[in-house]
């Protein structure tokens, strides 16, 4: 082979490796990063431009409690709210506006005349805990004071002089980790007090909301006067805004400001308030490192090479250290592999001057073989979760029961409420609308109904252990499907005989009396002319959002903006198909195909460049797994139009790099850096589903390449993959691969739980094609350390984001299943199929894969075999499999990558001589007979998992279980820990049988059992 002169490529890689460390990422089209602050940090925003609406996506609208209707006055820039300062004229904000606080910031523009002491806001958590902002003194220059009152003390920070008869910008921040209270005037800090010891971690839990009272314009206690003022742009944030962010809000507001519309993220990087360390200092095991091996990698023309994330290292004094994390340059195209030849890529080892090399050989000609689907999942009714004993409840059983029993108490009419509302149909007695993202005005309403359809289908399939529960879910399924079927049959047909209608989905007109499409879902403004919507249409809102998206609408709260209509539709269609596959309900399939035909009719008429632009639009163009659902419909019906529709959802830029389809994930180029994580992971899940029904290899490569990059370059220790400071959005992938510390660990949360839910779906799907042990290593990590850890102790309340900064607290919501975010929706799916990946079978029923060590019973129907898995794992390192029945087949037992101390397998008490390397499967093939027993031991040990680009910041694991430090109070910096360099277990005390440990007097326990303040990352020194 000819060796190419690749100096330009080599220099490009080296320069890129340096530049990427400070690269700021441009957002997607339509990014809603308001004033440089990610929207997940914002709880509510009240513009007061003629109404009391919350313009954030949370729809926490204010109420005016006064002697007359609220008054709005015209000012330069628009209307503002006028509070008269007399009588009982004030605003009440929803109690939920103080849910899930990491810290607290309140921002407001205010115009006040001289007046006596009065309250701007009074936010009471309960009778003993409150945060207030009030004017003190009188005259032309009163002081302004923000106070925090706790059970034992009260602290205040004040501005000595506040201008009157002029617009001023006020901000108060309570930073829990720094224990500071600050107040700002016109972007400048005017007062600060510390320490402040009020801790919101319990007070802001959603189950405490009923105790709160949030008042704007008056005191809750009845003391003081109502404020006389003009007010605009009042905001509440769940984080402590930084001085730079506050200055930006002030500057933008003073200069005319950003409106409520979406604003494109221009790449501004958030101020770094994360603890910093010298970039040139070797940390952890790297401090003992002498050299790193080079590596040779082969690829084919056009495909960027897959480089190993870890290489063998040599440590001083014969020390036995782990494999070395290497960070490689991450090109944005495949220009280096356009022709056959060889070239060298230089990597770096954080904190050292070591530069391992990868010699890449690019071969032409033959492409890689297409993998075949060789495994299948067992039906949910074939695997039952068990408790390890009559007195010890398995955590998976506990979580299953929390969700299944609460689902059994739900009223289907609540989940149908907004569908009937959209069609103008009367509500039955007892029906109540859901809250949060399914409330009247919310443009995502109906998404929870889709999750609910899937959850009750899975619950029906999984509750064979309780016939009454199974019958309960069957009744719910029939009721849901019958109502949705009835409504779908109305669409596009005359309201009455002889009436007019529009059957063609492409011909849907604007609403009655309107000259343009809009997303008005208010009681007064929603259109209900279903006869004009085209045949087959079904959703919880009219068709306008779909049509507006085609016309270029962006994401946001205004009437000319939308919120991910195809995302919501995917949930509904997927739920209907899950019901069909679990119960055979043909009406569910008919509703799904009717709406799929509606979608095909509209999208097939759009030019490719329009589709490409839509799917590249932040949130508005989020379509969940519509490609997955259309591929599934193609599989179920055999109708090719659904396959073609699935392809219409190709995210061309991410999948194929550009309109010419020259690179992208299909060619192993990272095209998802900086993008919204859970907008794009379901698209990848759809890609592997599309491969499964078509054998078009690019779709497999897209999914496989994405998985490898996500897990190796973006993953936190719990298995989550999102939470960026660059771009400034907790829901985005970091802006550059393998820079998790530099660009990740966003304030206000990381690790969106539904993103991990979708990563697990992708992982199990990939495993059906290629039985790579690392896939199930990830599945186990995400299942135990994120999904299991995302559920509250005593209810099915669960997390949205899972924060992992120092001394974080999980915030749980939706305990009664009446107010769903996206992650509350995927939670009811996750916890009704926890048994899904314990066992898989080969398509020819000759092999069984045991992937997870969870007490359970498998009924292998095709072989008339029952297998009982008995274990107290992970409180023990052993599991036992008992075979009931007989036959010749192979049992493949997983050897996890963390099982490096050797494993033992016994059959009927006899030790087997098997090769069992960590990160593999052991195959036991024989004629099995009734009562055969397999005993499987996987010795646990402690290990550290460092952040790839900041090695001293590491998580502590015991076997597969992430251990969290139980923090006594809030803290800003990482907890420092010193461990024995030769054997870290020498520095750890505790009881492995209870998974409870101590280091330096601090308790550590599984993250999935941590409900108070915790730290899952530590600042580790080895000695």
């Amino acid at each position: 082979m000819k060796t190419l002169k690749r100096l330009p490529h080599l220099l490009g890689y080296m320069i890129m490796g340096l530049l990427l460390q400070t690269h700021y990422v441009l957002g997607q089209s339509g990014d809603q990063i308001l004033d440089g602050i990610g929207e997940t940090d914002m709880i509510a925003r009240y513009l007061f431009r003629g109404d009391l609406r919350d313009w954030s996506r949370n729809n926490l609208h204010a109420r005016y409690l006064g002697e007359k209707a609220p008054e709005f006055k015209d000012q330069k820039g628009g209307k503002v709210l006028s509070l008269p300062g007399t009588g009982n004229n004030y605003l009440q904000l929803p109690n939920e506006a103080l849910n899930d606080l990491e810290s607290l910031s309140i921002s407001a523009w205010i115009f006040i005349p001289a007046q006596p002491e009065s309250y701007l806001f009074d936010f009471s958590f309960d009778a003993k805990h409150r945060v207030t902002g009030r004017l003190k003194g009188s005259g032309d220059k009163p002081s302004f004071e923000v106070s925090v009152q706790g059970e034992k003390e009260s602290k205040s920070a004040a501005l000595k002089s506040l201008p009157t008869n002029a617009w001023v910008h006020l901000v108060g921040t309570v930073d829990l980790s720094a224990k500071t209270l600050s107040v700002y005037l016109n972007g400048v800090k005017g007062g600060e007090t510390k320490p402040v010891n009020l801790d919101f971690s319990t007070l802001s839990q959603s189950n405490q909301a009923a105790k709160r009272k949030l008042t704007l314009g008056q005191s809750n206690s009845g003391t003081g006067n109502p404020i006389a003022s003009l007010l605009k742009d009042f905001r509440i944030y769940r984080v402590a805004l930084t001085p730079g962010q506050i200055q930006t809000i002030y500057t933008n507001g003073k200069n005319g400001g950003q409106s409520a519309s979406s604003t494109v993220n221009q790449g501004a990087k958030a101020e770094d308030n994360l603890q910093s360390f010298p970039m040139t200092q070797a940390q952890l095991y790297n401090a003992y490192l002498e050299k790193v091996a080079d590596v040779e990698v082969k690829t084919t023309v056009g495909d960027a090479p897959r480089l190993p994330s870890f290489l063998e290292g040599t440590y001083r004094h014969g020390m036995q250290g782990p494999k070395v994390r290497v960070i490689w340059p991450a090109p944005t195209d495949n220009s280096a592999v356009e022709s056959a030849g060889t070239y060298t890529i230089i990597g770096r080892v954080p904190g050292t001057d070591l530069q391992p090399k990868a010699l890449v050989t690019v071969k032409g000609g033959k492409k890689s073989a297409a993998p075949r689907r060789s495994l299948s999942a067992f039906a949910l009714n074939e695997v039952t979760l068990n408790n390890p004993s009559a007195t010890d409840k398995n955590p998976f059983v506990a979580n299953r029961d929390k969700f299944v029993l609460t689902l059994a108490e739900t009223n289907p009419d609540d989940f149908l409420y907004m569908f009937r509302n959209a069609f103008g149909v009367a509500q039955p007695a007892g029906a109540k609308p859901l809250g949060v993202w399914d409330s009247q005005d919310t443009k995502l309403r109906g998404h929870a109904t889709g999750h609910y359809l899937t959850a009750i289908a899975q619950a029906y399939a999984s509750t064979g252990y309780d016939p009454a529960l199974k019958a309960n879910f069957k009744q719910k399924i029939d009721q849901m499907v019958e109502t949705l079927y009835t409504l779908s049959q109305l669409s596009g047909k005359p309201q009455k005989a002889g009436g007019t209608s529009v059957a063609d989905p492409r011909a849907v007109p604007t609403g009655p009396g309107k000259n343009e499409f809009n997303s008005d879902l208010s009681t007064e403004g929603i259109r209900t002319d279903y006869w004009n919507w085209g045949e087959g249409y079904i959703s919880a809102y009219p068709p306008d959002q779909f049509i507006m998206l085609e016309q270029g609408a962006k994401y946001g709260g205004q009437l000319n903006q939308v919120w991910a209509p195809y995302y919501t539709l995917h949930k509904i269609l997927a739920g209907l198909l899950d019901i069909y596959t679990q119960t055979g309900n043909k009406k569910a399939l008919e509703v799904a195909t009717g709406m799929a035909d509606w979608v095909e009719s509209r999208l097939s008429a759009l030019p490719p460049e329009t589709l490409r632009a839509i799917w590249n639009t932040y949130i508005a163009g989020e379509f969940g797994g519509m490609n997955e659902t259309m591929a599934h419909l193609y599989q179920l019906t055999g109708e090719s139009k659904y396959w073609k529709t699935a392809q219409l959802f190709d995210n061309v830029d991410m999948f194929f790099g550009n309109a010419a389809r020259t690179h992208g994930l299909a060619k192993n180029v990272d095209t998802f850096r900086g993008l919204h994580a859970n907008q794009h992971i379901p698209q990848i899940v759809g890609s592997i589903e599309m491969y499964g029904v078509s054998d078009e290899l690019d779709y497999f490569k897209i999914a496989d390449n994405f998985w490898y990059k996500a897990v190796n370059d973006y993953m936190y220790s719990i298995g989550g993959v999102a939470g960026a400071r660059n771009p400034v959005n907790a829901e985005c992938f970091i802006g550059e691969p393998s820079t998790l510390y530099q660009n990740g660990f966003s304030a206000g949360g990381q690790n969106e739980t539904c993103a991990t839910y979708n990563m697990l779906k992708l992982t199990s799907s990939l495993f059906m094609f290629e039985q790579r042990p690392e896939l199930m290593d990830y599945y186990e990590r995400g299942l135990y350390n994120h999904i299991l850890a995302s559920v509250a102790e005593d209810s099915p309340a669960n997390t949205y984001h899972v924060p992992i900064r120092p001394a974080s607290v999980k915030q749980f919501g939706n305990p009664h299943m009446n107010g769903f975010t996206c992650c509350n929706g995927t939670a009811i799916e996750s916890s009704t199929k926890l048994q899904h990946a314990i066992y898989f079978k080969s398509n020819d029923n000759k092999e069984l894969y045991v992937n997870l060590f969870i007490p359970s019973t498998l009924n292998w129907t095709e072989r008339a075999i029952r297998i009982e898995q008995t274990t107290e794992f992970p409180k023990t390192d052993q599991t036992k499999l008992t075979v009931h029945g007989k036959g010749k087949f192979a049992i493949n037992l997983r050897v996890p990558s963390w099982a490096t101390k050797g494993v033992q397998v016994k059959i009927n008490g006899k030790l087997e001589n098997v090769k069992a390397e960590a990160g593999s499967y052991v195959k036991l093939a024989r004629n099995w007979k009734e009562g055969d027993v397999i005993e499987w031991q996987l010795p646990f040990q402690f290990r550290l998992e460092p952040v790839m680009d900041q090695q001293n910041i590491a998580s502590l694991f015991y076997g597969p279980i992430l251990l969290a430090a139980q923090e006594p109070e809030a803290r800003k910096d990482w907890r420092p820990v010193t461990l024995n360099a030769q054997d870290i277990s020498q520095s750890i005390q505790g009881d492995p049988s209870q998974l409870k440990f101590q280091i330096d007097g601090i308790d550590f326990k599984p993250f999935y059992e941590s409900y108070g303040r915790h730290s899952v990352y530590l600042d580790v020194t080895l000695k």
Side-chain angles (χ1 to χ4, degrees):
M1 179 186 292
K2 180 181 178 182
T3 300
L4 301 180
K5 301 297 184 181
R6 302 236 179 194
L7 182 59
H9 289 311
L10 176 58
L11 289 175
Y13 273 109
M14 294 174 66
I15 293 170
M16 190 181 302
L18 295 173
L19 292 179
L20 291 186
Q21 305 312 308
T22 55
H23 179 69
Y24 298 160
V25 175
L26 296 179
Q28 294 166 258
S29 171
D31 241 347
Q32 188 156 349
I33 310 295
L34 196 64
D35 293 320
I37 306 166
E39 69 168 340
T40 54
D41 293 343
M42 178 183 283
I43 295 174
R45 186 188 187 198
Y46 305 95
L47 291 175
F48 297 133
R49 291 182 180 169
D51 59 47
L52 305 178
R53 293 187 62 194
D54 168 21
W55 283 94
S56 83
R57 67 182 181 182
N58 298 316
N59 289 289
L60 298 170
H61 305 316
R63 291 187 303 132
Y64 192 80
L65 302 177
E67 299 163 345
K68 56 182 181 180
E71 182 180 359
F72 297 92
K73 292 191 174 181
D74 291 317
Q75 293 275 303
K76 183 180 180 181
K79 292 183 179 295
V80 299
L81 177 66
S82 175
L83 294 173
T86 59
N88 292 314
N89 295 287
Y90 62 95
L91 276 72
Q92 200 83 57
L93 307 185
N95 294 351
E96 292 77 11
L98 292 184
N99 277 358
D100 305 341
L101 300 180
E102 183 175 296
S103 290
L104 178 65
S105 298
I106 297 168
S107 165
W109 282 91
I110 186 170
F111 183 105
I112 56 169
Q115 60 186 293
E117 180 173 313
S118 54
Y119 280 79
L120 173 58
F121 63 86
D122 186 349
F123 290 176
S124 300
F125 290 94
D126 56 31
K128 297 179 179 179
H129 303 88
R130 62 199 287 224
V131 179
T132 61
R134 59 176 174 165
L135 302 175
K136 297 191 71 175
S138 57
D140 293 336
K141 294 185 177 180
S143 64
F144 178 74
E145 177 183 270
V146 176
S147 298
V148 172
Q149 178 183 313
E151 190 168 358
K152 297 180 179 179
E153 65 178 8
S154 180
K155 294 290 182 72
S156 300
L159 299 169
K160 294 182 180 179
S161 178
L162 191 65
T164 54
N165 298 307
W167 280 105
V168 296
H169 182 235
L170 299 175
V171 175
T173 67
V174 185
D175 187 332
L176 294 188
S177 60
K179 298 184 178 180
T180 58
L181 171 64
S182 306
V183 60
Y184 293 75
L185 173 63
N186 293 336
V188 178
K189 185 185 294 184
E192 182 174 276
T193 299
K194 61 182 178 180
V196 175
N197 294 311
L198 177 62
D199 191 339
F200 300 146
S201 60
T202 299
L203 297 170
S204 69
Q205 293 278 6
S206 61
N207 60 4
Q208 300 295 310
K211 300 178 182 179
R212 302 180 202 138
K213 187 175 183 181
L214 283 66
T215 301
L216 196 55
Q218 186 167 290
S219 165
N220 286 331
S221 63
T223 61
N225 299 289
I227 196 168
S229 70
L230 301 179
L231 191 61
K232 63 180 181 181
D233 202 0
F234 186 92
R235 309 183 190 185
I236 308 171
Y237 292 91
R238 60 173 39 90
V239 298
L241 296 176
T242 65
Q245 289 171 330
I246 293 169
Q247 179 65 49
T248 299
I249 294 173
Y250 167 69
T251 301
N252 286 345
K254 181 181 178 182
N255 295 334
Q258 299 183 51
S259 70
S261 63
S262 303
T263 55
V264 177
N265 174 15
Q266 296 298 323
K269 188 174 184 289
E271 292 174 81
D272 266 325
N273 55 359
L274 202 62
Q275 190 176 355
S276 61
F277 302 92
M279 294 288 290
T280 57
Q281 181 178 344
Q283 304 275 12
L284 212 64
Y285 293 103
N286 285 359
Y288 300 87
L289 192 60
E290 289 186 335
K291 65 178 181 179
V292 182
D294 294 333
V295 66
E296 294 184 3
V297 178
K298 295 179 180 179
T299 189
T300 55
V301 171
D303 290 335
R306 177 175 290 184
L307 303 176
S309 298
F310 295 88
L311 296 176
E312 295 290 343
T314 302
Y315 294 88
R316 294 198 304 268
H317 312 305
M319 178 180 177
Q320 296 297 308
K323 286 188 175 182
V324 180
R325 178 62 202 247
V326 179
I327 297 177
W328 304 100
T332 56
D333 60 33
N334 60 345
S335 57
V337 291
E338 289 176 340
S339 57
T342 61
Y343 69 107
T344 300
I345 303 175
I346 298 177
R348 67 182 182 91
V349 177
T352 77
D353 57 4
L354 297 172
Q355 293 184 312
K357 299 178 181 62
L359 177 64
V360 180
T361 300
V362 185
K363 294 184 175 182
K366 189 176 180 180
K367 298 294 184 180
S368 56
R372 313 301 302 178
R373 189 196 302 268
S374 57
L375 298 186
S376 302
F378 286 95
L380 291 177
N381 62 5
E382 293 181 302
V383 183
T384 304
L385 298 172
N386 300 327
N387 285 315
S389 68
T391 57
D392 188 9
K393 197 162 192 178
N394 179 276
F396 292 100
V397 172
N399 277 10
R400 178 201 68 187
D401 290 350
K402 291 173 194 175
F403 281 83
V404 167
L405 295 176
T406 305
L407 275 168
E409 296 298 318
T410 56
N411 181 358
D413 284 325
D414 297 350
F415 291 85
L416 293 165
Y417 193 100
M418 290 303 165
F419 288 81
R420 290 187 173 109
N421 177 264
F423 281 78
V425 174
Q427 304 291 343
K432 297 178 182 178
L434 300 174
V436 191
W437 291 358
D438 289 271
S439 59
Q440 179 74 45
D441 292 341
T442 309
K443 304 179 198 303
L444 204 72
R445 66 189 218 177
H447 82 107
T449 304
H451 291 297
Y452 183 73
L453 292 169
T454 292
I456 60 177
Q458 293 176 170
Y460 168 79
S462 299
T463 50
Y465 57 86
D466 188 329
L469 271 177
K470 193 175 184 72
N472 177 303
F473 290 115
K474 182 59 163 62
Q475 183 276 326
K476 286 177 166 55
I477 287 168
D478 291 344
Q479 182 179 347
M480 293 293 297
V481 172
E482 193 60 39
T483 301
L484 293 173
Y485 177 82
T486 299
L487 293 175
S488 69
Q489 292 301 301
L490 297 176
S491 292
K493 298 173 183 176
Q495 186 181 21
K496 55 186 178 180
T500 61
S501 63
V502 177
D504 183 358
R506 299 183 188 182
V508 176
T510 57
K514 299 178 181 179
N515 55 16
E516 61 184 3
F517 295 100
N518 67 41
S519 56
D520 188 354
L521 301 177
S522 66
T523 304
E524 303 80 15
I526 188 171
R527 61 180 294 190
T528 58
D529 57 324
Y530 57 79
W531 51 92
N532 289 325
W533 294 356
E535 289 188 356
Y537 183 85
I538 187 68
S539 192
Y541 43 70
D544 294 50
Q545 289 198 73
F546 294 97
I547 299 168
M548 293 165 66
L549 181 63
E550 296 170 9
Q551 297 172 350
K554 298 295 189 282
Y555 164 57
Q558 296 196 92
L559 299 184
N560 63 349
Q561 296 171 323
V562 301
W563 188 355
Y566 280 105
Y567 169 91
T568 298
L569 181 59
H570 165 247
K571 304 300 169 277
I572 297 166
L573 295 183
L576 289 165
L577 295 187
D578 286 335
I579 284 176
Y580 175 69
T581 56
Q582 295 293 349
T583 71
N585 189 311
K586 293 182 178 180
K587 284 187 175 179
L589 180 62
E590 187 173 344
V591 177
T593 54
M595 187 59 187
D597 291 345
W598 191 96
V599 169
E600 185 274 336
S601 178
R602 291 204 65 92
L603 292 187
S604 62
L606 298 178
E609 58 269 24
T610 299
L611 290 171
R612 181 174 165 228
I614 289 173
W615 308 144
N616 266 322
T617 305
Y618 178 79
I619 298 294
E622 181 175 5
F623 60 75
M626 281 295 295
N627 50 352
E628 174 194 20
T629 293
M630 290 297 176
H632 193 189
L633 266 176
Y634 170 56
Q635 180 187 40
L636 291 172
T637 66
E639 294 193 41
S640 60
K641 63 181 176 180
Y642 298 128
W643 165 248
K644 293 175 182 177
T645 307
Q647 290 185 299
L648 295 176
F649 287 96
D650 280 354
N651 188 334
V652 172
D653 283 13
M654 183 174 71
F655 286 10
F656 306 108
N658 49 39
R661 302 190 174 213
T662 60
H663 60 86
L665 282 168
K667 300 294 186 182
N668 199 33
V669 176
D670 183 339
T671 45
F672 62 90
R673 65 192 81 188
L675 300 183
H676 187 282
N678 203 52
Q679 177 171 347
H680 294 86
I681 300 172
Q683 299 174 12
I684 304 296
V685 176
S687 182
I688 191 66
E689 182 74 14
M690 292 176 71
Y691 173 69
V693 300
S694 71
D695 290 335
E696 292 196 14
L697 184 58
D698 274 354
Y699 288 117
F700 177 83
K701 291 167 66 177
I702 288 164
D704 188 44
N705 289 332
F706 172 88
W707 185 93
Y708 185 87
K709 292 177 184 298
V711 169
N712 286 280
D713 296 338
Y714 294 87
M715 185 183 72
Y716 293 93
S717 59
I718 71 170
V721 292
R725 299 194 329 279
N726 173 31
V728 193
N729 192 325
E731 295 184 351
C732 285
F733 294 110
I734 52 176
E736 290 302 327
S738 301
T739 60
L740 201 60
Y741 197 81
Q742 182 184 356
N743 291 313
F745 288 95
S746 56
Q750 312 82 33
N751 298 291
E752 194 175 356
T753 303
C754 52
T756 298
Y757 162 85
N758 283 306
M759 282 294 295
L760 295 187
K761 282 185 67 174
L762 172 62
T763 300
S764 63
S765 294
L766 284 168
F767 192 79
M768 302 300 181
F769 293 93
E770 293 187 340
Q771 288 75 60
R772 303 197 310 268
E774 63 266 26
L775 291 164
M776 279 301 146
D777 283 343
Y778 174 79
Y779 198 100
E780 179 181 64
R781 176 196 297 270
L783 184 65
Y784 276 95
N785 301 309
H786 195 167
I787 300 302
L788 197 62
S790 68
V791 180
E793 186 172 13
D794 299 316
S795 79
N798 60 283
T799 58
Y800 184 174
H801 293 115
V802 177
I804 51 176
R805 280 194 170 201
S808 291
V809 180
K810 302 172 191 173
Q811 299 289 348
F812 303 103
N814 197 33
H816 306 296
M817 298 186 184
N818 56 6
F820 290 75
T821 64
C822 51
C823 296
N824 299 140
T826 54
I828 64 175
E829 296 188 31
S830 289
S831 293
T832 49
K833 63 168 187 176
L834 291 167
Q835 72 272 40
H836 162 71
I838 301 175
Y839 313 99
F840 291 145
K841 60 184 176 181
S842 63
N843 290 341
D844 60 8
N845 283 295
K846 292 181 179 180
E847 297 197 40
L848 174 70
Y849 280 77
V850 181
N851 305 311
L852 300 170
F853 314 114
I854 297 173
S856 53
T857 301
L858 165 66
N859 286 293
W860 192 350
T861 306
E862 293 87 350
R863 296 201 66 101
I865 292 289
R866 180 167 58 87
I867 291 180
E868 297 275 354
Q869 182 172 182
T870 308
T871 182
E872 293 185 10
F873 187 97
K875 292 184 177 180
T876 180
D877 60 4
Q878 303 176 52
T879 191
K880 182 173 71 173
L881 301 170
T882 303
V883 178
H884 298 284
K886 60 182 181 179
K888 185 177 181 179
F889 57 92
I891 298 178
N892 297 275
L893 300 175
R894 176 170 153 263
V895 186
S897 61
W898 48 261
T900 57
K901 291 177 66 176
V903 301
Q904 284 189 349
V905 58
K906 295 179 181 179
I907 299 179
N908 298 329
K910 180 183 177 181
L911 186 65
E912 296 290 311
N913 183 20
V914 296
K915 183 180 180 181
E917 296 180 352
S920 70
Y921 275 79
V922 168
K923 176 180 281 192
L924 304 174
R926 61 189 289 164
N927 267 309
W928 299 96
K929 63 182 185 300
E930 174 67 32
D932 280 346
V933 175
I934 303 170
E935 295 173 274
W936 185 234
Q937 185 171 19
L938 305 156
F940 286 16
Q941 62 180 335
F942 293 102
R943 59 190 169 87
L944 294 169
E945 284 202 3
V947 179
M948 74 276 289
D949 59 329
Q950 191 62 58
Q951 291 279 301
N952 60 303
I953 305 303
S955 290
L956 177 66
F957 281 79
Y958 185 60
I961 304 304
L962 174 61
L963 299 175
Q966 306 301 296
E967 297 288 2
E969 60 182 1
R971 61 182 301 135
K972 199 169 188 68
D973 292 340
W974 306 103
R975 172 168 291 281
V977 171
T978 300
L979 301 176
N980 186 302
Q982 296 292 335
D983 182 0
I984 65 173
S985 69
Q986 297 299 310
S987 306
I988 305 170
Q989 299 78 43
D991 183 357
S993 69
Q994 297 300 314
L995 295 177
K996 293 181 179 179
F997 305 97
Q998 298 83 38
I999 302 176
D1000 299 332
I1002 294 296
D1003 291 333
F1004 284 73
K1005 63 181 181 180
F1007 185 49
Y1008 68 76
E1009 291 182 348
S1010 297
Y1011 302 102
R1013 286 203 174 275
H1014 57 262
S1015 293
V1016 301
Y1017 280 101
L1018 311 166
D1019 181 2
V1020 181
T1021 301
L1022 296 179
K1023 285 189 178 180

